[in-house]
Amino acid sequence: MLNTWVVTPTCLPAVLRRCPACASARFHANGKFRVNAHHKLLDAWLLVLCTGCGDTAGLTVLERAHVRSVRSDLLTRMHDNDPALAAELLQDPALRHRNRVALDWTGAWRLDTDGPGHLDHEVIDVSVRFAARIPVRPLRLIADGCGLSRAETERLLADGGLVSAVRLGGRLSDDFTFTLKR
């Protein structure tokens, strides 16, 4: 029987960027936007707050975009300060690259398993699905989901008791499956 685990975000991740006011390196996105119009051109920013001093900075979403080129639903969502739009934009690699920021997902996600019923089986097949592109270590997910230590999970991987089509040693943010034999 195939169990399905889901990695789900619980809040917006921290934005890693240097604060010019206090030299802190962490900002918190609260889902607020600022849209500014210059005749027929729009600028839009996702506002982030420094965790050290509380200063506000903006991550550029639109820069001198012609009004007619911006989808009306996107503009409405920015005016409404849609937190789901903020989450979508933070997932966009182009936006992160343009603004020279990285994301820190520490404490911003949880692993939802089918419950503890699978822990007593000799062999378990698990499909791990990501609700958002959250980079996590697969061995940590397996250890947390199966109630094992990280060292025991690494030993099972080395002994062939943990098998997957993907490499489990680094970080993943894409769906994968694995089989655990005890």
Side-chain angles (χ1 to χ4, degrees):
M1 184 171 132
L2 183 68
N3 296 304
T4 302
W5 295 356
V6 181
V7 178
T8 309
T10 57
C11 60
L12 294 175
V15 176
L16 301 178
R17 171 185 174 171
R18 176 83 44 212
C19 177
C22 72
S24 173
R26 296 176 68 83
F27 283 80
H28 173 70
N30 58 1
K32 302 240 186 258
F33 292 89
R34 178 166 184 231
V35 179
N36 197 8
H38 304 279
H39 302 287
K40 294 182 181 181
L41 302 176
L42 291 178
D43 290 325
W45 300 273
L46 171 61
L47 300 179
V48 292
L49 301 172
C50 176
T51 57
C53 65
D55 259 10
T56 302
L59 303 180
T60 302
V61 177
L62 298 172
E63 190 169 29
R64 302 288 186 214
H66 197 278
V67 173
R68 292 182 188 258
S69 69
V70 179
R71 294 186 339 257
S72 63
D73 63 324
L74 175 67
L75 196 55
T76 302
R77 289 175 73 189
M78 282 193 276
H79 282 299
D80 293 341
N81 291 321
D82 185 2
L85 177 61
E88 289 173 29
L89 291 173
L90 284 174
Q91 293 287 318
D92 183 14
L95 181 121
R96 291 195 315 261
H97 179 73
R98 180 182 330 129
N99 290 285
R100 295 184 193 99
V101 297
L103 300 180
D104 182 9
W105 284 95
T106 305
W109 60 273
R110 73 173 184 267
L111 176 64
D112 296 327
T113 63
D114 291 335
H118 66 278
L119 296 177
D120 57 349
H121 296 292
E122 190 72 25
V123 176
I124 56 173
D125 291 318
V126 178
S127 171
V128 180
R129 197 174 59 78
F130 288 82
R133 294 190 54 81
I134 304 170
V136 294
R137 297 185 186 281
L139 289 178
R140 177 183 177 194
L141 288 179
I142 295 167
D144 290 350
C146 294
L148 303 171
S149 68
R150 290 271 309 268
E152 190 175 356
T153 308
E154 289 174 3
R155 183 188 55 76
L156 283 168
L157 180 63
D159 294 345
L162 180 58
V163 180
S164 179
V166 298
R167 186 173 162 263
L168 299 176
R171 289 185 181 264
L172 285 177
S173 57
D174 294 322
D175 299 351
F176 69 96
T177 58
F178 70 91
T179 301
L180 178 70
K181 303 173 206 162
R182 296 184 194 231

